[in-house]
Structure formats: structure tokens, C-alpha cells
Amino acid sequence: MEFKDYYQVLGVEKTATAEEIKKAYRKLARKFHPDVSKEPEAELRMQEINEAKAVLADPEKRLAYDQLAEQYRSGQDFQPPPDWDAGFEFRGGGFEEADLGEFSDFFANLFGQGGRAGRGRRGYQMRGEDRHAKVVIDLEDAYHGATRAITLQVPRVDAQGRVLSREHTLNVRIPQGVKAGQHIRLSGQGGPGLGGGPPGDLFLEIHFTSDPRYRVEGRDVHQRVPVTPWEAALGASIQTPTPSGVVKVKVPAGSQSGRRLRLKGRGIPGPEPGDLYVELEVVLPPADTDRARELYETMAQELAFDPRQGRGG
């Protein structure tokens, strides 16, 4: 999939105002609309033009897209980075699959139902619009609960029609046991009501900070734990840090790298708490001293061990 430069598609500068974007769209639509255009590939060009307008004419989508566009150029190989739209507020409920039928895979990956950036307007009403944002927290917060200051980027349009960003900081209580993908509802923190109506709500979708130590599946947590060759061979009781704190783990004698040990109920808390799966990783000490090399040589001479025996080839 290639990155699309929507400013290039419309032929406008990145500083273009809302009115300039609207004029550029109308000019291109008159030229490439399939009902009237004789240009080659008019239908494809019109699809690109519609995509560009759908993003750049919406202050919320444009603000998030602009941050992403700083890192890529048109035509570059592209996959959306994890949580690329975290920390931005978006309105409404989201594009349905039918809405995405006329748009490219690039648009669908960024602005489909899977991404908060795809959430669009649902019309005017007395009650304020609900808003949505993706936030990233540490896994430890899900274990213990926490109160965190979370700053969201909210677009505003200045008098010249340019999209600017303002920060919206909230103190949010992270409940113990929250899962990835779960929503925290903040009543009254959404869009303002119309005609004196009540404000909408803000829904925060939880994601966990990427951490090479852990892999999360629902409430289950998988963790790699390094052990020494003698701990693996002879068995041992070791201590290791986990998201819930330091725990003791019994390593069975004769363990190998990749062996999984289940610690029941040590996953993310909840009515049915998850489990913690410890995957052992045997780590060899370096042979960087005379004594260390001597010990390795003794093992090589005295242990009848060939890890390749019986593997063929």
C-alpha cells in the first residue's frame, strides 16, 4: 500500500484554508466527474479527489493526517503505525463498510471503523455530539488502576479557515482490570449541546504501550523470562518482575528455552482474571574470561551432548 498525499491530489499547499480546499475540490470535480469528463481514468481521479476532500475538509481528520504526513511522502510504501491516531478527539460513530466502497485501501485503513480517525459526523441534535479518542496506557495501570493526566489534540479553525491544534488535558481514572479495546466513558466531556441541550460524552479507547517484555491477549499476559543454563537444567526458584510486581517462579529441572509456565490468576484482574504465561529463555554466560572458557571446555569434554543428533541433514 502506498502513502497518499492528499494535498498533492487537490493541488493545494499544506497551509491551505478551508475555503481554498473547497475551491480546489470544486475545480477538480468539474474537470474529472465521470458524468461529464472525457479525461482518461476520470473515475479513478474523482475517487482520489473525493478521498482528499473527505480528509482535508474535516478539521479533526486533517489534524491527525497532518501529523502522520510529516513522516511520509507520496507513493512511499506505507502501513499505519500502531496507534497512529492516539491522542486525537474525533466526533460521531464511524464509517460503515458501505461508505468505504468508493475509497482506496489507504483511506479504509486510516479512516474505517477500525480507526478512531474514521469516525464521522452523525448530524445535528439537541444533545452534544459524543467524541472518541484513542489513549495509550502502561500495562501496569490495568493491573493496579491509576489516575493519569491525558492530553488530547483537538482541532480549531481560525478566522482565516486554517486548522490549528489546541490541547485538552483531563485527569482520567483508569479502572483496575481495564482491557485493550475497552472504552472509558467520561460523561459530559464531549461536544457542547445545541440550543441549551446537554453536552455529549467522551469515550476513551484503551490501548497498551508497546513493551517488548509483554504480549497481551484479552486478560492473559505472556512474558519472556531469562534463566541461566544451570537454573534450567537443575531447576530453581527465581524471582522476576511482572506487571503486578515481583513474583516467585518455580523453574522445573530439565527446562528448555520456550517452555511455558502458567501462573493462574496473575493476568489482568477482573471478574475472571487472566493468567500470566512465563516463557523461559535460557541465556548463556559469555566466555569472556579464562575461567569461563575453562568451564566451557570442561563441559565440552565431559558432557556427551549433541543438540543436532537425530535432526537429520
Side-chain angles (χ1 to χ4, degrees):
M1 184 169 62
E2 295 182 350
F3 185 82
K4 287 182 178 288
D5 185 334
Y6 287 134
Y7 291 99
Q8 190 178 92
V9 170
L10 291 186
V12 298
E13 299 293 328
K14 288 183 169 59
T15 56
T17 65
E19 186 61 29
E20 288 169 341
I21 289 171
K22 185 185 298 184
K23 287 181 179 178
Y25 171 78
R26 288 174 176 171
K27 179 180 177 180
L28 292 170
R30 285 194 296 269
K31 180 178 180 180
F32 290 103
H33 196 287
D35 291 345
V36 296
S37 178
K38 296 182 180 179
E39 296 285 338
E41 299 185 341
E43 186 173 352
L44 180 60
R45 287 285 284 119
M46 196 64 218
Q47 173 186 302
E48 293 179 337
I49 294 163
N50 284 333
E51 281 189 27
K53 175 179 178 290
V55 175
L56 301 185
D58 185 308
E60 295 167 346
K61 295 183 184 65
R62 182 178 179 182
L63 184 64
Y65 172 80
D66 282 351
Q67 176 175 276
L68 189 66
E70 292 178 357
Q71 308 168 49
Y72 297 92
R73 64 180 184 275
S74 182
Q76 182 178 351
D77 286 342
F78 173 77
Q79 286 296 330
D83 301 321
W84 73 272
D85 56 345
F88 291 89
E89 283 192 24
F90 299 95
R91 291 174 286 178
F95 284 99
E96 303 293 339
E97 288 301 316
D99 300 326
L100 297 170
E102 299 300 318
F103 293 138
S104 68
D105 289 344
F106 175 80
F107 183 95
N109 271 272
L110 292 183
F111 303 108
Q113 288 181 318
R116 282 296 157 252
R119 297 191 177 275
R121 302 178 184 179
R122 287 302 189 196
Y124 296 99
Q125 50 189 340
M126 294 298 291
R127 180 179 177 274
E129 289 181 307
D130 290 338
R131 292 180 178 269
H132 302 260
K134 182 187 295 183
V135 296
V136 181
I137 66 171
D138 292 336
L139 180 58
E140 287 81 1
D141 290 343
Y143 270 78
H144 306 292
T147 298
R148 294 284 181 259
I150 293 178
T151 300
L152 304 176
Q153 301 297 318
V154 183
R156 68 178 180 87
V157 181
D158 67 11
Q160 288 73 44
R162 295 183 177 87
V163 177
L164 305 175
S165 173
R166 70 174 177 85
E167 291 187 345
H168 181 202
T169 300
L170 298 165
N171 285 321
V172 178
R173 187 181 69 82
I174 308 297
Q176 183 186 40
V178 68
K179 296 191 300 181
Q182 187 172 331
H183 291 81
I184 297 176
R185 176 183 178 183
L186 303 182
S187 298
Q189 295 291 335
L194 300 175
D201 299 332
L202 173 61
F203 292 87
L204 302 180
E205 182 178 302
I206 297 297
H207 289 247
F208 293 135
T209 305
S210 178
D211 190 323
R213 297 173 297 174
Y214 307 123
R215 178 169 56 86
V216 181
E217 295 180 351
R219 293 192 183 278
D220 292 337
V221 177
H222 299 256
Q223 175 180 354
R224 293 175 68 89
V225 173
V227 294
T228 65
W230 45 91
E231 288 170 337
L234 304 176
S237 180
I238 64 173
Q239 290 188 328
T240 184
T242 72
S244 63
V246 176
V247 300
K248 286 186 176 181
V249 177
K250 184 177 177 60
V251 178
S255 293
Q256 300 283 349
S257 283
R259 181 166 187 172
R260 287 201 315 168
L261 307 176
R262 178 189 179 197
L263 304 185
K264 185 174 175 59
R266 288 282 187 172
I268 295 175
E272 295 184 8
D275 299 327
L276 176 66
Y277 290 91
V278 171
E279 183 175 323
L280 302 180
E281 180 182 12
V282 179
V283 179
L284 301 177
D288 54 1
T289 67
D290 291 341
R291 178 57 177 160
R293 284 192 293 272
E294 180 183 340
L295 290 171
Y296 273 117
E297 289 168 357
T298 300
M299 291 174 61
Q301 295 168 6
E302 297 188 7
L303 296 180
F305 176 63
D306 182 357
R308 295 167 296 282
Q309 187 175 3
R311 293 194 173 213

